[in-house]
């Protein structure tokens, strides 16, 4: 069909379409057949149109874990499954993939993005986008551009020279536009070289829409737009969320005043209508859901419509286990400690073993049907041979009550009862918060402003508990005989903090088994739009001291054939809105590993974190398996990887520095508002290789898998080095998957080494495969800023075939042009 022409609407009618109707929906316009277009956050699950308490949906492995497979087929498959998850709930656009790069390892949001390498990020993103869009659901590349850290994220000015911007940070966007024609792109919160990303005429109009010929829609990050004329002229097409926002009447006035040409508005509307057409929200059936099987209005959470797999169906379980386990990465494996043989007795130790972290924090969070811990997963495979020992504390901040520990006092369902009262004492809302927390003033439409929120839960086990409140406001907490009052304030007054990182406080109390604990809060105001934020009840068993925990771990380790210690980060470090300050593991986890390693016959460490950590105990342990944030099937996937039922064939997507600060880009703190990308194109392994940072602990591309490989007969297939071939022989005892990585090290020292291509081969034990790899021309060029053009790099330098740059298997000289 032909997209309706925006001329059939008057100016206010057109402008009205260019701001959202709600948090995640756009305005329908029946007169032109435009239905309600719905968006949902991604990228590792389709959360739906609310922040918390929404529908139950599948939780996928996080982006770095998925990317570690270096497998475009898997990325496509993830996109396809996410399209199913979207269709099942009537969502037209999934807000992902996140394709910012891992610039500094401190970035809090790296877990959501694929890699430090622009080619790997772009090629995987393109496959993921195709997987979504081939099935009728729009993708949204985010966040355009130079949005690699979270500190002062609404104001930071990323200062990036033009060549670096194009060669490195824009490249994943360029690839995903050129190779997959992503239907939308999200403009970031930050500024780029002094100009807000939502007003970036240079990036949006000149490069993306101009040079790349992009036809899709540019949507603002949520609440990012601060101007009318500047943003509309800068190429931003759509302001989110709505209905309030800086456009509306201001933009109409700007057009009437001649500051914005009406043709600019028409272009924005045309792009919006093209998106609507592409996702099936435009046409004879306005409002129809994407795909063929829209959700019926009364459908229950957790059930899926039509033939689509439910989030907890056997097919989803198998898919998610495989995706997670295949990306897990063997970083060290002395004397073939891994895979563990069946029959081995295992002391499984660590807070992350019993409370495995399956996703990062912030807008990427979803409400999964269940989450399998490593303890559950390994016990399911090994039964009594596993002894589970909880580990040391890994968090500083209070977290909402775990569903098993707290139940609704009336219904007995896992979770917390929430009652919201108006100022006159009327009950205006009652909810069940399965996760222990709920959003106030964001997902709801309360008849009157909330004045008091009461959270109640029964604690079937009781005992000595740590109980408290989460959320800004005046609190009163009652547990057993204990009553405590406290004031919790936001440090910034920013609604983002109220939603993503609310303050919390707890107290210790003795609670009889089955007693009800209760917390009451008068929420603080978070600005002109009233009281908004996340509110939760904290209730957990009181923590044990480090010495007793470690003593139990050590004694279990002594008694078993092997100790498996699961360590990691939590949503306190890996989250939207804050950055890390160190790569050290939180709490006393390092000391616990050291103590266990000294006592155990063999020690395996499983790292449950998406991004680099420091491993001061590396020399003392026998094996290290990096497991990422593995999604709802996490524990099953870790168990399958540990036992070798699925080969953890991952290769790192980010370099692991050897110490804090030992990376080419480190600080994420703006100075006078500016964050200089001074390392230029020498980010990650590129900078380490050039000697701009010390040797890393593990290189980008490193990963041992469960077999060994010999490389032979490496040859250039053309003089330019654009195609190479090599024979890889599986010299180990089991079938495996090898990722042949090809790097180009130009002669010119101003040009960093770079990944130019890769190809994977699955080869049975003792057999060989001839593998050909083509270089992507988009990493074989440099931006000549003086002339304003791309220039192909001369074919002078070396081609390296490597299993990460710490293990180069063949070097081919390039002497041509
Ligand atoms: C995030 C986006 C997200 C949006 C909507 C923002 O805070 O930066 O990635 O899509 O919220 O939830």
């Amino acid at each position: 069909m032909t997209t309706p022409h925006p001329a059939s609407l008057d100016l206010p009618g057109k402008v009205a379409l260019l701001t959202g109707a709600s948090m995640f929906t756009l305005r329908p316009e029946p007169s032109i057949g435009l239905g309600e277009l719905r968006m949902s956050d991604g990228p590792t699950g389709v959360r739906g149109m609310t922040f918390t308490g929404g529908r139950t949906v599948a939780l996928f492995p996080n982006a770095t874990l998925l990317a570690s497979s270096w497998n475009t087929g898997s990325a496509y498959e993830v996109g396809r499954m996410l399209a199913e998850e979207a269709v099942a709930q009537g969502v037209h656009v999934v807000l992902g993939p996140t394709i910012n790069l891992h610039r500094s390892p401190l970035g809090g949001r790296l877990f959501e993005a694929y890699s430090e390498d622009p080619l790997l990020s772009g090629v995987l993103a393109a496959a993921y986008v195709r997987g979504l869009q081939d099935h009728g659901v729009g993708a949204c590349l985010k966040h355009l551009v130079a949005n690699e850290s979270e500190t002062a994220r609404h104001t930071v000015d990323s200062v990036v020279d033009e060549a670096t911007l194009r060669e490195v940070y824009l490249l994943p966007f360029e690839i995903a536009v050129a190779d997959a024609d992503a239907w939308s792109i999200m403009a970031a919160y930050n500024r780029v070289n002094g100009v807000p990303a939502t007003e970036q005429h240079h990036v949006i109009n000149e490069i993306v829409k101009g040079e790349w010929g992009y036809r899709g829609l540019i949507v603002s990050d949520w609440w990012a737009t601060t101007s009318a004329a500047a943003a509309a002229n800068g190429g931003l097409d759509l302001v989110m969320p709505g209905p309030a926002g800086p456009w509306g009447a201001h933009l109409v006035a700007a057009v009437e005043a001649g500051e914005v040409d009406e043709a600019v508005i028409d272009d924005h509307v045309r792009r919006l209508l093209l998106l609507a057409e592409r996702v099936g929200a435009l046409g004879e059936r306005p409002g129809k859901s994407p795909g063929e099987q829209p959700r019926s209005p009364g459908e229950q959470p957790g059930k899926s419509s039509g033939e689509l797999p439910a989030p907890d169906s056997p097919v989803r379980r198998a898919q998610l286990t495989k995706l997670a386990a295949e990306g897990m990465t063997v970083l060290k494996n002395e004397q073939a400690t891994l895979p563990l043989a069946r029959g081995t007795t295992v002391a499984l130790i660590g807070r992350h073993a019993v409370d495995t972290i399956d996703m990062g924090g912030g807008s990427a969070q979803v409400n999964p049907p269940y989450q399998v811990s490593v303890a559950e997963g390994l016990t399911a495979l090994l039964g009594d041979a596993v002894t589970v020992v909880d580990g040391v504390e890994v968090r500083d901040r209070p977290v909402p009550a775990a569903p098993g520990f707290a139940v609704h006092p009336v219904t007995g369902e896992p979770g917390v009862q929430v009652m919201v009262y108006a100022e006159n004492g009327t009950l205006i809302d009652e909810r069940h918060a399965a996760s222990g927390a709920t959003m106030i003033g964001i997902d709801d439409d309360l008849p009157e402003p909330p004045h008091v929120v009461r959270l109640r839960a029964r604690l079937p086990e009781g005992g000595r508990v740590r109980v408290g409140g989460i959320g800004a406001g005046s609190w009163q907490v009652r547990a057993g005989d204990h009553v405590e009052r406290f004031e919790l304030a936001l440090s910034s007054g920013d609604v983002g903090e109220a939603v993503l990182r609310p303050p919390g406080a707890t107290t210790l109390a003795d609670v009889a088994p089955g007693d009800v604990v209760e917390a009451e809060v008068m929420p603080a105001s978070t600005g002109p739009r009233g009281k908004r934020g996340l509110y939760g009840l904290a209730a957990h068993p009181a923590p044990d001291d480090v010495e007793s925990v470690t003593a139990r771990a050590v004694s279990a380790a002594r008694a078993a054939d092997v100790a498996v210690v699961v360590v990691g980060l939590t949503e306190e470090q890996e989250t939207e809105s804050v950055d890390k300050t160190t790569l050290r593991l939180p709490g006393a986890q390092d000391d616990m590993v050291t103590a266990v390693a000294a006592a155990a016959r063999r020690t395996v460490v499983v790292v449950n974190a998406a991004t680099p950590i420091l491993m001061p105990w590396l020399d003392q342990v026998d094996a290290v398996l990096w497991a990422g944030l593995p999604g709802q099937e996490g524990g099953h996937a870790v168990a399958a990887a540990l036992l070798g039922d699925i080969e953890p064939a991952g290769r790192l997507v980010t370099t692991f520095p050897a110490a804090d600060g030992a990376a080419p880009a480190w600080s994420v703190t703006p100075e006078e508002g500016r964050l200089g990308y001074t390392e230029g194109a020498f980010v990650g392994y590129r900078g380490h290789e050039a000697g701009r940072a010390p040797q890393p602990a593990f290189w980008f591309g490193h990963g041992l898998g469960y077999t060994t490989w010999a490389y032979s007969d490496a040859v250039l297939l053309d003089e330019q080095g654009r195609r190479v071939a090599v024979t890889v022989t599986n010299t180990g005892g089991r079938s495996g998957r090898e990722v042949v990585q090809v790097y180009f090290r130009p002669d010119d020292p101003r040009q960093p080494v770079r990944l130019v291509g890769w190809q994977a081969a699955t080869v049975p034990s003792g057999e060989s495969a001839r593998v050909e790899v083509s270089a992507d021309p988009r990493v074989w060029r440099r931006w000549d800023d003086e002339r304003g053009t791309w220039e192909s790099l001369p074919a002078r330098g070396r081609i390296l075939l490597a299993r990460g740059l710490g293990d180069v298997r063949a070097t081919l000289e390039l002497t041509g042009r």
Side-chain angles (χ1 to χ4, degrees):
M1 74 173 270
T2 336
T3 313
H5 194 274
S8 52
L9 297 172
D10 62 9
L11 178 63
K14 289 185 281 193
V15 168
L17 298 182
L18 301 179
T19 294
S22 72
M23 269 303 276
F24 291 106
T25 59
L26 305 194
R27 280 170 71 109
E29 182 48 69
S31 73
I32 56 167
L34 175 64
E36 181 192 70
L37 199 144
R38 298 174 217 115
M39 301 178 161
S40 161
D41 266 313
T44 44
V46 182
R47 189 183 65 236
M49 269 128 345
T50 58
F51 262 103
T52 54
R55 202 182 143 88
T56 307
V57 300
L59 170 60
F60 286 62
N62 85 290
T64 53
L65 182 53
L66 292 171
S68 299
S69 297
W70 296 51
N71 187 336
T72 50
S74 300
Y76 182 92
E77 184 61 3
V78 168
R80 190 192 65 74
M81 288 193 273
L82 289 172
E84 290 180 343
E85 296 279 317
V87 167
Q89 50 189 317
V91 164
H92 301 93
V93 176
V94 172
L95 302 174
T98 307
I99 52 175
N100 299 116
L101 298 182
H102 298 186
R103 177 177 169 263
S104 161
L106 294 178
R109 213 174 170 179
L110 305 187
F111 73 91
E112 237 186 86
Y114 293 125
S115 169
E116 70 187 19
D117 183 79
L119 179 67
L120 183 62
S121 299
V123 169
L124 292 176
Y128 171 109
V129 169
R130 279 194 299 268
L132 272 168
Q133 296 185 172
D134 284 355
H135 298 89
V137 174
C140 183
L141 309 176
K142 65 190 192 183
H143 310 82
L144 188 73
V145 61
N147 180 201
E148 272 68 39
S149 48
E150 298 295 287
T151 306
R153 65 179 184 149
H154 292 283
T155 54
V156 59
D157 181 14
S158 301
V159 180
V160 197
D161 67 80
E162 184 74 12
T164 302
L165 190 64
R166 289 171 176 265
E167 292 168 13
V168 181
Y169 295 98
L170 279 171
L171 185 55
F173 291 90
E174 182 184 351
I175 294 173
V177 166
D179 297 1
D181 195 10
W183 293 343
S184 65
I185 299 179
M186 190 185 292
Y189 285 131
N190 51 287
R191 293 169 169 255
V192 186
N193 297 326
V195 180
T198 46
E199 299 173 10
Q200 263 289 346
H201 172 71
H202 176 52
V203 170
I204 302 177
N205 284 335
E206 293 182 345
I207 300 179
V208 176
K209 292 182 178 175
E211 292 173 31
W212 302 350
Y214 182 60
R215 295 191 307 146
L217 179 96
I218 310 280
V219 51
S220 73
D221 200 343
W222 268 231
W223 298 289
T225 322
T226 54
S227 68
N233 284 334
L236 185 75
D237 297 308
L238 172 68
V239 168
M240 284 302 281
W247 282 15
H250 298 288
L251 188 52
V252 172
V255 175
E256 284 164 352
E259 292 166 42
V260 180
D261 198 321
E262 192 160 348
V264 168
I265 305 295
D266 286 350
D267 182 57
H268 298 325
V269 174
R270 234 182 257 115
R271 288 167 184 271
L272 177 69
L273 295 179
L274 174 61
L275 174 67
E277 184 184 1
R278 285 167 151 175
V279 299
L282 187 69
E284 304 105 74
R285 290 190 292 136
K288 86 178 155 79
S289 297
E292 293 305 310
Q293 292 144 321
R295 175 172 66 118
S296 53
E299 195 195 332
Q300 291 304 303
K303 297 231 181 81
S304 169
S305 47
E307 297 301 308
L308 297 172
D312 56 356
S313 58
V315 56
R316 270 293 181 268
R317 288 171 186 254
Q319 289 165 327
L320 296 176
T321 305
K322 184 164 178 288
L323 282 169
E326 284 176 347
M328 290 182 187
T329 306
V330 183
L331 298 181
K332 174 174 181 175
N333 195 11
E334 298 290 301
Q335 283 134 42
T337 301
L338 292 176
L340 300 176
R342 283 184 157 78
T344 309
T345 58
V346 177
L348 179 64
I349 297 161
R351 176 59 51 85
H352 285 259
V354 292
D355 182 9
T356 305
I357 304 296
D358 298 311
M359 59 180 152
S363 62
Q365 280 178 304
V366 303
N367 180 21
Y370 59 86
Q371 296 180 60
V372 180
S373 69
V374 176
E376 290 162 334
L378 201 59
T379 306
L381 292 189
L382 294 183
D384 295 350
V386 183
T387 306
V388 179
V389 184
D390 191 6
V392 293
E393 286 293 312
V394 294
R395 289 185 171 91
D396 282 334
R397 295 160 56 85
V399 284
F405 190 66
V407 301
H408 190 291
V410 182
T411 65
E413 278 179 85
V416 170
Q417 180 187 29
V418 182
M419 283 162 295
V420 185
Y421 299 88
E423 195 163 5
N424 64 7
T426 328
L427 180 67
I428 49 173
D429 198 16
E430 183 170 353
R431 311 175 185 168
H432 169 219
S435 65
T438 187
M439 207 64 84
I440 299 290
I442 299 267
D443 293 333
D444 43 33
D445 196 8
L446 299 171
E448 284 177 66
H451 185 64
V452 166
V453 179
R454 184 171 295 152
L455 303 121
R456 301 174 75 235
R458 185 181 304 285
L459 307 185
E461 291 169 34
R464 185 133 183 92
V465 296
R466 193 152 89 164
V467 56
I470 297 165
S474 308
W475 285 88
Q476 175 174 297
V477 174
R478 195 181 293 273
D481 298 335
H482 195 83
V483 179
E484 183 121 349
R485 292 186 176 78
F486 38 83
E487 292 292 324
L488 294 177
L490 295 172
S491 60
S492 65
D494 172 29
V495 64
E497 186 190 351
V499 169
L500 297 174
R501 213 173 155 75
T506 56
T507 177
L508 288 172
D510 293 307
V511 175
D515 258 12
V516 172
V517 295
E518 187 174 298
E520 203 175 275
V521 58
M522 283 176 66
S525 183
T526 41
R529 271 174 281 164
K531 299 171 176 180
R532 300 190 295 163
L534 186 71
Y535 286 85
L537 175 73
H540 296 272
D544 218 343
D545 63 280
V546 172
E547 291 70 31
S548 325
V549 175
T550 309
R552 277 199 296 275
V554 163
S555 107
R558 272 209 192 94
D561 296 330
V562 56
V564 174
V565 191
V566 190
V567 297
L569 304 175
T570 70
E571 68 294 330
E572 288 187 9
Q573 292 81 33
E574 296 194 310
T575 185
E576 182 176 336
S577 87
V578 266
D579 290 317
K580 299 171 208 141
T581 54
T582 173
L583 304 184
R584 272 197 309 277
L585 286 172
Q589 295 186 87
D590 286 332
D591 292 343
M592 191 182 65
V593 175
T594 306
V596 168
R601 258 162 269 173
R602 293 221 168 162
T603 305
V604 176
V605 177
V606 175
V607 179
N608 179 203
T611 53
I613 59 154
L614 301 181
M615 304 182 192
W617 31 257
L618 186 61
D619 290 344
Q620 294 145 40
V621 305
D622 302 282
V624 179
L625 177 74
W626 174 83
L629 305 177
Q632 70 188 43
E633 281 291 323
H636 288 144
V638 169
L642 285 173
L643 294 185
D645 294 354
I646 299 175
E647 185 193 19
R651 304 292 186 258
L652 288 181
V653 291
T654 276
T655 302
F656 277 45
D660 272 350
W666 181 254
S667 173
V668 286
T669 308
E671 284 171 27
E672 294 177 4
R674 292 152 65 93
L675 185 65
Y677 282 37
T678 49
E679 69 290 343
F682 288 81
V683 63
Y685 67 90
R686 297 164 165 219
H688 285 278
E689 196 268 355
R692 294 175 176 221
Q695 284 284 308
F698 297 108
W699 286 92
F700 168 86
H702 173 72
L704 301 170
Y706 280 161
T707 187
T708 49
W709 298 91
Y711 280 50
S712 56
D713 303 321
V715 292
L716 297 175
L717 296 176
D718 66 23
E719 282 182 13
Q720 272 66 46
R722 302 303 179 88
R723 283 172 55 235
V724 298
V726 68
T727 298
V728 289
T729 304
N730 181 345
T731 52
R734 48 177 286 159
S735 171
R737 181 173 187 271
E738 174 67 335
V739 179
V740 176
Q741 304 158 36
V742 178
Y743 299 83
F744 174 37
R745 172 85 197 75
D747 263 355
D748 182 348
R750 290 167 303 180
Q751 291 295 323
V753 68
R754 77 230 21 219
L755 179 77
V756 294
W758 75 92
Q759 189 65 55
T762 298
V763 184
S765 165
E767 295 187 16
S768 300
R770 189 81 182 148
V771 177
E772 273 187 37
V773 184
S774 297
D776 194 306
R778 291 169 292 198
V779 278
W780 205 291
R781 55 181 192 175
R782 70 174 194 93
W783 179 254
D784 183 334
D785 204 26
E786 266 166 34
R787 293 175 38 230
T789 52
W790 287 107
E791 190 178 87
S792 189
L793 293 175
R796 281 196 298 274
R798 273 163 295 149
I799 293 287
L800 309 171
L801 286 89
R803 311 182 76 239
L805 289 174
D807 184 7
V808 176
R809 294 300 179 94
T811 302
L812 303 166
E813 297 293 333
L814 284 181
T815 51
R817 286 198 27 79

